[in-house]
Amino acid sequence: MIREVKKTFRSPASPPPAALAIKVRTLAPSMSRSVGHVAQVLVGDPAGCAVLTVTALARLAGTSEATVVRTARILGYSGYRDLRVALSVLAAQQESGQAPAVTSDIAVDDPIADVVAKLARDEQQTLAETAACVDTRQLAAAVAAASTARRIAVYGIGASCLVGQDLAQKLLRIGLVAHAHTDPHLAVTDAVLLRQGDVAIAITDSGSTEDVIEPLRAAFERGATTIAITGNPVGPVARYADHLLTTTTTRESELRPAAMSSRTGQLLLIDGLFVGIAQRTYTTAAPALAASYEALAHRHVPNPRQPPQD
């Protein structure tokens, strides 16, 4: 089955105003110089930009009106008018002190109590930002496809592989046929056997990991429904994704690599996928989950301090 490769541009639901700066930070590495400059102008002075016409903003940024409109669409807005509304709301939030907190870097001489506190704040921020940016229509469509899939294949490398394994084992426990592939060669071998009615899920923060893109592309070309979980929604992986789920990350530092930060957002989205699938398949999922708990119950070591039950 031959399918047309998708363009990287999408029109998701407009992100909430507070997510504008998050979107700019997430997409900055993949933006062209002109688009990136417009985006920085927007987040640098949302109140000032909100009152400008597209012509005035283009003049301020030293670019064309078409580039301004393209920037708005890349950031997830249907057009410049919607972007101006978001800028106005964002400006009001900043004025009232509702702007997101800045991520704290972890220093090499930080006490362990400070490390825990900073990690907790960073992970809370990542979760909040990912929740704010996720396109719930895309998530709902991914849930619907996976709920009726003949089988589900999950592809990821490194830290993303661990996230994929977590999703696969959860789906297995509610009775679905799901496998996470850790070997890139086996992943491609599996992908070429998928067909319509199957689901392939790729997890890649960069959106450009070839060992993840290759099996997703093979699954896409053979008619499987494809889902990408990525921190770069305009990266190469998006070309082969029917449904695109975007994560965000906090700033990485020497002691907090990107893999730690991206994992938090990825886990939120796979938990959203799992719970949504369990809801849609509840009549079979609940008994399967209960059976899996019962099968493993005898493996739990009893607490010697707990008094015996009457």
Side-chain angles (χ1 to χ4, degrees), residues 65 75 179 221 242-243 304:
E65 294 179 16
L75 292 175
H179 299 284
E221 291 172 347
D242 293 308
H243 307 298

Side-chain angles (χ1 to χ4, degrees), residues 92-172:
Q93 289 175 342
Q94 290 180 341
E95 187 175 347
S96 62
Q98 297 178 24
V102 177
T103 304
S104 300
D105 289 333
I106 297 174
V108 69
D109 57 350
D110 275 348
I112 193 65
D114 290 353
V115 170
V116 172
K118 288 181 178 182
L119 285 173
R121 188 168 82 173
D122 288 354
E123 300 217 355
Q124 288 171 355
Q125 183 176 340
T126 298
L127 290 171
E129 292 179 354
T130 298
C133 289
V134 68
D135 186 338
T136 53
R137 293 182 302 181
Q138 290 286 317
L139 180 58
V143 165
S147 298
T148 58
R150 185 178 66 98
R151 64 188 181 108
I152 300 169
V154 188
Y155 310 121
I157 296 294
S160 296
C161 173
L162 300 177
V163 174
Q165 289 177 314
D166 184 59
L167 174 60
Q169 68 89 13
K170 282 182 169 71
L171 295 176
L172 283 171

